C-alpha cells in the first residue's frame, strides 16, 4: 500500500493560498524541525514567487539540535531565511517578528519615502497539517496584542491572517510520506502503519540505536533486520497471541512512542542520507 495524497485537495489549497497571498506582505512557512526537508513544500516557492518568505523550524524543542542545525545551514545556503521556534512554549517568537521586519525593511522605507504611513505587517502562515500553525498564529496574535494593549492611541490591529494555509507537498517519495505520517501530518487511517513503523525502526537503528535499545531494554544492532527488531520489541512488551508476536500492538506502540517523544530528541531527516542520495544520482 502506498500513501496517497489527493491532487484535488492540493489544487484547491494552492488556489486559496494564491488568493490570500495578494493580501499579505510576508509568508511564514512552518516546517517540523524534526524533518525540515520532508515537511517543506518545495512547490510553494513557485506559488509564493516574489513575496518575502521565512521558513520557521517549529517544534525545535522536540528535535535533535545538532542534526537540525545541518538542515538550517542547508536552507540558508539556498538563500532562505530560517528561524527556530517552539510555538507551544512561545519560544523565539520575537525573533520571527524581528526577521519579518528585517525582510520588509526596504519596502517599509520605500513607503515612508513616498509619504505612506507604514501599516502593520500582514502575514500568512502555511505548512502541512500538525506542524503547529494554529498554535503559532495564536501565540503571535497574543504577543502583538500584549505589546500594543497598554499604549494609548494604538489600535489593536490583527496583524496576521488567522486561517492558516494547508499545503501538502506533492511527494513522489514514499519515505517523505512515512515521515509525514510519523509527525502526524497524514491521517493514520489512510496510512500503512506497518510500513511506517518498520521505517521508524530503520531510521532509529541507523541514527539513534542507543535510544531504541534503551527504551525497550533490548540489544539490537544496526545490521539486524527491521522485522527482527520489531519482534524483539514485541517480545519485551506484549504477550504472544496463539504463538505469534502481537504485531498490531507493537506497530501502534512504536509510532505512539515516537509521537510522545519516548525515544528522546530525534530528527528524522538525516543530512548524510541526502548527501549519499545526491552522490548516487551523480554516478
Ligand atoms: P496545525 O495543524 O499546523 O495548525 O498544528 P497545531 O497548532 O494544531 O499544533 C499541532 C500540535 O502540535 C498541538 O498539539 C500543539 O500543541 C503542538 N505544537 C505546536 N507547536 C509546538 C512546538 O513548538 N513544540 C511542541 N512540542 N509542540 C507544538
Amino acid at each position: 500500500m502506498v500513501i496517497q495524497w489527493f491532487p484535488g485537495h492540493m489544487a484547491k489549497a494552492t488556489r486559496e493560498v494564491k488568493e490570500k497571498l495578494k493580501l499579505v506582505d510576508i509568508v511564514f512557512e512552518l516546517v517540523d524541525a524534526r524533518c525540515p526537508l520532508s515537511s517543506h513544500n518545495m512547490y510553494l516557492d513557485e506559488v509564493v514567487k516574489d513575496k518575502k518568505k521565512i521558513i520557521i523550524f517549529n517544534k525545535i524543542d522536540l528535535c535533535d539540535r545538532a542534526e537540525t542545525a545541518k538542515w538550517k545551514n542547508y536552507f540558508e545556503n539556498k538563500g532562505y531565511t530560517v528561524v527556530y521556534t517552539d510555538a507551544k512554549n512561545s519560544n523565539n517568537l520575537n525573533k520571527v517578528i524581528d526577521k519579518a521586519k528585517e525582510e520588509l525593511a526596504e519596502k517599509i522605507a520605500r513607503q515612508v519615502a513616498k509619504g505612506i504611513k507604514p501599516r502593520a505587517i500582514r502575514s500568512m502562515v502555511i505548512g502541512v497539517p500538525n506542524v503547529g500553525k494554529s498554535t503559532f498564529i495564536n501565540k503571535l496574535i497574543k504577543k502583538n496584542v500584549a505589546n500594543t494593549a497598554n499604549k494609548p492611541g494604538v489600535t489593536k490591529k490583527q496583524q496576521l491572517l488567522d486561517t492558516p494555509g494547508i499545503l501538502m507537498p506533492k511527494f513522489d517519495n514514499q519515505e517523505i510520506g512515512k515521515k509525514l505520517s510519523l509527525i502526524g501530518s497524514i491521517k493514520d487511517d489512510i496510512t500503512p502503519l506497518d510500513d511506517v513503523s518498520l521505517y521508524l525502526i530503520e531510521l532509529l537503528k541507523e541514527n539513534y540505536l542507543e535510544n531504541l535499545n534503551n527504551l525497550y531494554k533490548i540489544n539490537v544492532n544496526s545490521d539486524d533486520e527491521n522485522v527482527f527488531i520489531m519482534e524483539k520489541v514485541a517480545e519485551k512488551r506484549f504477550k504472544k497471541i496463539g504463538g505469534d508476536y502481537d504485531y498490531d500492538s507493537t506497530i501502534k506502540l512504536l509510532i505512539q512512542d515516537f509521537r510522545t517523544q519516548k525515544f528522546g530528541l530525534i530528527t528524522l531527516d538525516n543530512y548524510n542520507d541526502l548527501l549519499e542520495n545526491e552522490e548516487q544520482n551523480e554516478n
Side-chain angles (χ1 to χ4, degrees):
M1 186 174 157
V2 289
I3 301 173
Q4 301 274 8
W5 184 254
F6 307 102
H9 285 213
M10 216 179 76
K12 186 165 172 269
T14 308
R15 244 187 347 262
E16 280 172 9
V17 167
K18 272 189 181 157
E19 274 303 305
K20 282 188 202 160
L21 260 183
K22 296 176 193 153
L23 307 171
V24 305
D25 306 302
I26 193 161
V27 173
F28 297 135
E29 185 194 6
L30 256 70
V31 297
D32 190 310
R34 293 167 296 175
C35 52
L37 187 67
S38 300
S39 55
H40 161 64
N41 193 308
M42 50 193 133
Y43 300 94
L44 186 62
D45 292 338
E46 288 168 28
V47 179
V48 170
K49 293 213 176 78
D50 304 329
K51 249 338 130 175
K52 293 282 183 191
K53 184 178 146 191
I54 296 178
I55 301 198
I56 315 276
F57 282 25
N58 192 41
K59 304 202 182 186
I60 196 72
D61 54 312
L62 306 181
C63 76
D64 167 357
R65 282 297 270 264
E67 193 60 32
T68 293
K70 295 179 194 164
W71 290 112
K72 184 170 187 276
N73 258 334
Y74 168 87
F75 278 105
E76 285 173 346
N77 286 338
K78 287 184 180 289
Y80 292 99
T81 301
V82 176
V83 180
Y84 287 156
T85 56
D86 163 2
K88 194 175 171 182
N89 299 301
S90 296
N91 278 334
N92 233 18
L93 295 179
N94 285 336
K95 185 79 177 276
V96 174
I97 297 168
D98 290 348
K99 278 279 175 199
K101 283 182 183 157
E102 233 173 73
E103 292 286 327
L104 293 168
E106 261 179 47
K107 186 178 173 179
I108 293 168
R110 271 200 310 272
Q111 288 174 339
V112 171
K114 281 189 208 157
I116 304 169
K117 213 169 131 211
R119 52 169 167 69
I121 295 171
R122 292 182 300 190
S123 63
M124 171 160 64
V125 175
I126 317 194
V128 298
N130 211 41
V131 281
K133 295 181 295 301
S134 311
T135 312
F136 176 85
I137 291 171
N138 290 336
K139 294 285 171 71
L140 219 50
I141 288 174
K142 265 191 209 140
K143 211 167 231 331
N144 284 338
V145 170
N147 283 346
T148 54
N150 52 9
K151 288 183 203 154
V154 178
T155 8
K156 285 184 216 165
K157 268 189 219 146
Q158 185 162 317
Q159 303 193 337
L160 290 146
L161 294 182
D162 56 1
T163 39
I166 295 169
L167 211 54
M168 288 302 285
K170 190 166 94 192
F171 52 84
D172 35 25
N173 170 330
Q174 285 298 303
E175 294 191 0
I176 295 180
K178 288 172 198 168
K179 286 175 189 165
L180 291 177
S181 160
L182 286 168
I183 63 164
S185 289
I186 301 178
K187 289 202 175 75
D188 283 352
D189 51 11
I190 60 159
T191 310
L193 293 179
D194 46 353
D195 285 355
V196 173
S197 63
L198 285 169
Y199 183 61
L200 174 64
I201 290 178
E202 168 89 17
L203 292 176
L204 291 170
K205 79 173 184 189
E206 297 283 345
N207 306 314
Y208 301 98
L209 184 64
E210 236 185 89
N211 307 45
L212 176 65
N213 276 328
N214 287 346
L215 180 62
Y216 300 120
K217 303 196 168 47
I218 53 178
N219 191 19
V220 297
N221 62 62
S222 48
D223 298 331
D224 289 332
E225 298 283 344
N226 299 335
V227 174
F228 171 82
I229 296 177
M230 184 176 282
E231 286 170 0
K232 288 284 155 206
V233 176
E235 210 165 40
K236 279 279 176 182
R237 292 296 180 93
F238 301 103
K239 286 200 176 76
K240 281 191 170 179
I241 304 173
D244 264 342
Y245 292 112
D246 185 352
Y247 287 111
D248 283 348
S249 302
T250 312
I251 287 165
K252 286 191 194 122
L253 175 79
L254 281 154
I255 293 174
Q256 194 55 23
D257 282 348
F258 173 75
R259 290 183 182 158
T260 51
Q261 287 77 53
K262 296 268 166 54
F263 297 105
L265 302 177
I266 301 285
T267 291
L268 298 170
D269 280 339
N270 184 269
Y271 191 64
N272 280 342
D273 286 351
L274 177 86
L275 297 183
E276 277 168 25
N277 284 342
E278 280 178 353
E279 254 170 44
Q280 273 168 13
N281 290 342
E282 273 165 24
N283 294 332

